[in-house]
Amino acid sequence: MEIIQRPATAKLPAEMFTGDAWADVIYRGEDPSRARANMVRFAPCARTAWHSHGLGQTLYIVEGIALIQSRGGEIFEAHPGDVVFTPAGEEHWHGASPDRFMAHIALWEGDDVDWLEHVTDAEYTGPRRPARTP
């Protein structure tokens, strides 16, 4: 057993994110493991670009309100404690609501991520499923 030394918090690149977002690596498995886990923090309005994962992705919402959309679907809100799964190859984005910071733990396998175009302001502000009652 060992305590794993983690890299410093990294600001995420503008090529893949709109607004300010930072990641802390929780776990990056070494061969033969493909497991990945990051704590990702988004400033209000910050979001990923459209993207997909070769083996899918699971998000565990830790803080704030997450906005999440699959290509062609409606935007929905996820709250602390919610777990969201995106299947392999499904194009999607996720980020913070306009008025709150948001943090989630992202879980996925391997580095097979297909980064696509940025989410436009019109897409980000589109209709969304109302928040559930806490």
Side-chain angles (χ1 to χ4, degrees):
M1 184 182 326
E2 66 179 302
I3 295 177
I4 298 172
Q5 297 300 311
R6 299 184 313 159
T9 299
K11 182 155 186 345
L12 296 169
E15 296 81 23
M16 301 171 201
F17 292 81
T18 297
D20 292 328
W22 298 266
D24 285 292
V25 174
I26 295 171
Y27 181 74
R28 181 175 177 82
E30 296 184 19
D31 284 336
S33 173
R34 298 180 301 189
R36 307 284 189 261
N38 284 357
M39 170 68 80
V40 186
R41 295 173 179 89
F42 295 80
C45 293
R47 57 203 180 259
T48 68
W50 288 101
H51 65 285
S52 65
H53 296 265
L55 296 172
Q57 181 182 45
T58 300
L59 303 175
Y60 176 75
I61 311 306
V62 176
E63 177 182 16
I65 298 173
L67 301 181
I68 303 166
Q69 182 180 29
S70 291
R71 183 84 71 178
E74 66 181 334
I75 299 170
F76 69 92
E77 298 179 355
H79 297 261
D82 288 344
V83 177
V84 179
F85 176 70
T86 303
E90 184 169 279
E91 294 178 3
H92 67 285
W93 66 268
H94 37 98
S97 66
D99 57 351
R100 298 193 187 205
F101 284 85
M102 187 273 289
H104 65 51
I105 297 174
L107 306 163
W108 73 102
E109 291 184 68
D111 293 322
D112 185 16
V113 181
D114 187 15
W115 288 101
L116 305 163
E117 75 276 11
H118 282 274
V119 173
T120 66
D121 289 342
E123 289 171 317
Y124 174 77
T125 58
R128 61 181 173 174
R129 187 181 307 164
R132 63 179 167 84
T133 316

